[in-house]
Amino acid sequence: MYAIQAQDVSKTYKNGVRALDHVSLNVRKGEIFSLLGQNGAGKSTLIRILTTYLKPDLGLVQILGKNLSMKAARIRPKIACVGQQTSIDTYLSLEENMMFQSRLYRIPKTQAKLRMEKLIQDFGLQSYRKYPVSSYSGGIKRRLDIALNMMSAPEILFLDEPTVGMDIQSRMAMWDMLKKIRNDFGTTIFLTTHYLEEADILSNTVCIMKDGKEVTQGTPEELRSFIRQDALRILFPTKAEAEKQMVFLQSVFPASQMTVRNTDIMMNTEDVRSDLERTAGFLLEAHIPFYGIQIVQPTLEDVFLRLTKKKEMGEEK
């Protein structure tokens, strides 16, 4: 059964900007669904519609089997949305914030305390419960913000870039928290993120958007199958060195096959083993210093870059 169904959803703002152009997607109950796209792709507009803040101009949206345009008031108590800005009172403690949240949703006090204790235990917040939120790190504030929104026991939790600005340890703690919400609470999670690795690790389903349209949707494995061949990865000490040496490699391989990613050159190739020997030979003969060369399988990031790049270059309609 689907938690969210959207069909041919369009939205144009008063200034003439068309944010969504016949977007369709399906989100299954109990899954983590990641929405990917560059800035301006229409992700925020779509979330505002799905969380009942905006009405679409065209299209049909059903949330938990209810028509969004007709049953918005009945849908709102069953969903929760955590934006990029935390919504917690920094002058209150963790416990005070959570109990205040329970009163907003008219949860009986006894039930609220039981739910609060479970959330504190499950999300590893025991040592923070009595201290003012102003003393918390950014990562703990974000975890508390999500725990607050779980006080109402939502069936769908919308998360807008929940790990932005976090260090890797905090991000990994957040990933564990999101998996627990899905696996232990059975909550459907609708996630937007700019971290492709994050979407790959967490998601049951991924949707890539571009210019207000969905480009593709499927499991991470299905999306990786769009790039059927392996690629070459040439390792350099710095990004500047990789960019410099790519100019020389263009005398052997077309520029369209190569991109610089971090400190490496990624090269798409039809014959990976032959091109591995050819590339290594060229680098050695030209005395170009490099750390190594590898055959790598495509990642979700490769798919994202390939699909959005094609759209920009007009290679696909």
Side-chain angles (χ1 to χ4, degrees), residues 40-108:
K43 304 187 302 298
S44 295
T45 298
L46 181 57
I47 283 187
R48 291 191 185 107
I49 289 173
L50 297 179
T51 54
T52 76
Y53 286 103
L54 282 179
K55 290 184 178 180
D57 299 329
L58 297 170
L60 174 66
V61 179
Q62 289 187 304
I63 305 290
L64 300 170
K66 296 179 176 61
N67 188 311
L68 184 66
S69 62
M70 300 173 61
K71 303 289 185 180
R74 295 180 62 183
I75 290 170
R76 289 186 190 115
K78 298 179 181 294
I79 65 175
C81 183
V82 181
Q84 292 185 36
Q85 301 297 321
T86 57
S87 57
I88 49 183
D89 190 325
T90 58
Y91 293 99
L92 301 180
S93 69
L94 182 153
E95 288 187 1
E96 290 168 336
N97 267 286
M98 296 184 83
M99 292 306 294
F100 178 72
Q101 185 84 349
S102 71
R103 289 197 292 273
L104 292 178
Y105 283 90
R106 299 178 180 178
I107 302 170

Side-chain angles (χ1 to χ4, degrees), residues 27 44 81 141 264:
V27 182
S44 295
C81 183
K141 286 179 181 176
D264 307 327

Side-chain angles (χ1 to χ4, degrees), residues 13-289:
Y13 289 106
K14 292 181 179 179
N15 61 5
V17 173
R18 188 162 198 175
L20 297 177
D21 187 3
H22 297 283
V23 171
S24 297
L25 54 83
N26 295 308
V27 182
R28 295 182 180 87
K29 278 193 172 183
E31 75 170 346
I32 295 179
F33 182 99
S34 289
L35 185 65
L36 308 179
Q38 299 163 320
N39 291 333
K43 304 187 302 298
S44 295
T45 298
L46 181 57
I47 283 187
R48 291 191 185 107
I49 289 173
L50 297 179
T51 54
T52 76
Y53 286 103
L54 282 179
K55 290 184 178 180
D57 299 329
L58 297 170
L60 174 66
V61 179
Q62 289 187 304
I63 305 290
L64 300 170
K66 296 179 176 61
N67 188 311
L68 184 66
S69 62
M70 300 173 61
K71 303 289 185 180
R74 295 180 62 183
I75 290 170
R76 289 186 190 115
K78 298 179 181 294
I79 65 175
C81 183
V82 181
Q84 292 185 36
Q85 301 297 321
T86 57
S87 57
I88 49 183
D89 190 325
T90 58
Y91 293 99
L92 301 180
S93 69
L94 182 153
E95 288 187 1
E96 290 168 336
N97 267 286
M98 296 184 83
M99 292 306 294
F100 178 72
Q101 185 84 349
S102 71
R103 289 197 292 273
L104 292 178
Y105 283 90
R106 299 178 180 178
I107 302 170
K109 189 173 183 179
T110 301
Q111 182 182 346
K113 285 186 174 181
L114 290 173
R115 190 172 296 171
M116 178 184 71
E117 292 298 331
K118 177 171 177 55
L119 291 170
I120 288 174
Q121 180 69 33
D122 286 351
F123 298 155
L125 296 169
Q126 300 95 322
S127 58
Y128 305 97
R129 59 193 303 155
K130 298 292 185 181
Y131 299 103
V133 172
S134 58
S135 66
Y136 297 178
S137 68
I140 297 301
K141 286 179 181 176
R142 183 60 102 184
R143 285 163 61 186
L144 170 57
D145 201 13
I146 294 175
L148 279 178
N149 281 274
M150 288 298 294
M151 282 294 289
S152 63
E155 294 186 44
I156 304 174
L157 179 64
F158 292 88
L159 299 174
D160 190 8
E161 299 185 28
T163 62
V164 65
M166 288 185 180
D167 57 54
I168 186 60
Q169 289 84 4
S170 298
R171 285 175 63 199
M172 292 176 71
M174 179 64 74
W175 295 346
D176 289 340
M177 185 176 180
L178 298 186
K179 290 176 184 177
K180 184 177 286 289
I181 290 172
R182 175 191 60 189
N183 298 338
D184 296 355
F185 292 81
T187 306
T188 303
I189 297 177
F190 190 103
L191 170 74
T192 69
T193 179
H194 282 295
Y195 298 118
L196 280 297
E197 176 195 14
E198 182 168 276
D200 206 350
I201 290 171
L202 292 175
S203 307
N204 301 102
T205 304
V206 174
C207 178
I208 297 176
M209 287 185 66
K210 171 70 176 175
D211 294 334
K213 301 178 181 179
E214 80 279 5
V215 179
T216 189
Q217 179 177 320
T219 67
E221 292 77 14
E222 289 170 343
L223 266 56
R224 281 194 290 270
S225 71
F226 281 110
I227 302 179
R228 293 177 175 84
Q229 73 271 23
D230 294 333
L232 291 180
R233 178 187 178 198
I234 310 168
L235 292 74
F236 292 94
T238 65
K239 182 176 182 179
E241 187 69 18
E243 291 173 341
K244 174 184 174 182
Q245 302 306 340
M246 191 169 77
V247 176
F248 293 103
L249 281 167
Q250 287 173 10
S251 64
V252 183
F253 297 98
S256 59
Q257 287 184 225
M258 294 180 286
T259 56
V260 173
R261 189 176 307 164
N262 299 321
T263 62
D264 307 327
I265 293 176
M266 300 297 297
M267 184 185 300
N268 299 314
T269 171
E270 296 295 332
D271 190 342
V272 67
R273 298 192 182 280
S274 174
D275 285 341
L276 171 63
E277 296 177 3
R278 187 180 171 196
T279 303
F282 173 82
L283 293 170
L284 292 170
E285 289 176 11
H287 302 288
I288 295 175

